[in-house]
Amino acid sequence: MTMTAVRTPLAVLHRDGELMRERIEVLPRKGDDPPRLQDATRVGAMRRIAAAKLRLCGLDTVIDEVMVIVSELLTNAVLHSGTRQVALSLRIERGVLLIVVTDGMPGHARRKAVGEDSESGRGLALVEALARENGGSWGTGNAGAETWCRLVLPRRLPDQPACSSARCPLPLVPLPDC
């Protein structure tokens, strides 16, 4: 007999605090060479860690969007910053998920106008579209050394229980009515 486990999504939590802060070591690219395989693999690992942290805290509803945003922002940092270390943090502040990628190198990320047949250059347009779709925004800070994106988290319905603090160690805080 074969058994299949079906997991019901957890209720969306509204807890303020840091969900994750991780760093990866990368080597600066030479010219227009593609990033090293190890660096590209690290971006994928960070994306999966972010998804696991969100899932653990009951934020399943934003995982798909966050995975795309994390991939795009980290990839931009690896490709364009020339730095040796890139950091990713996820934080909840008053019902908003803040995603920040820091590369420590000044210079602002900008959307590019790309042709229909271009194979790259659409990442920040995706980030902007996903942010807008989720009531948020994106931008740069710290003289361009960090790129951030904000997503408004869906409100928890009154009949949905919050998961226990053993699963997600952030203190529960009430959200203002919208």
Side-chain angles (χ1 to χ4, degrees), residues 7 10 48 50-60 63 167:
R7 189 167 87 65
L10 297 172
R48 289 186 296 279
K53 297 278 188 176
L54 292 169
R55 195 172 293 112
L56 179 67
C57 288
L59 297 169
D60 298 57
I63 287 175
R167 291 183 56 96

Side-chain angles (χ1 to χ4, degrees), residues 45-173:
M46 291 284 270
R47 183 180 60 238
R48 289 186 296 279
I49 292 168
K53 297 278 188 176
L54 292 169
R55 195 172 293 112
L56 179 67
C57 288
L59 297 169
D60 298 57
T61 57
V62 294
I63 287 175
D64 293 338
E65 291 89 342
V66 172
M67 287 184 69
V68 172
I69 292 166
V70 164
S71 288
E72 295 301 333
L73 297 182
L74 283 173
T75 299
N76 279 352
V78 169
L79 289 177
H80 304 297
S81 71
T83 190
R84 293 187 175 276
Q85 190 176 84
V86 178
L88 169 66
S89 70
L90 300 180
R91 177 172 192 73
I92 299 174
E93 297 174 352
R94 286 177 251 139
V96 174
L97 177 64
L98 177 61
I99 304 160
V100 180
V101 172
T102 306
D103 59 29
M105 300 297 281
H108 297 282
R110 290 182 188 87
R111 278 187 55 191
K112 291 195 279 188
V114 295
E116 219 174 271
D117 297 331
S118 296
E119 292 183 17
S120 65
R122 292 180 180 82
L124 291 176
L126 279 171
V127 170
E128 182 176 6
L130 289 170
R132 259 198 222 143
E133 185 177 294
N134 288 278
S137 58
W138 79 277
T140 61
N142 198 13
E146 65 183 29
T147 305
W148 54 264
C149 182
R150 289 187 174 101
L151 303 178
V152 176
L153 295 172
R155 294 188 55 82
R156 181 170 43 91
L157 299 174
D159 62 337
Q160 290 178 313
C163 71
S164 72
S165 61
R167 291 183 56 96
C168 186
L170 303 177
L172 190 61
V173 296

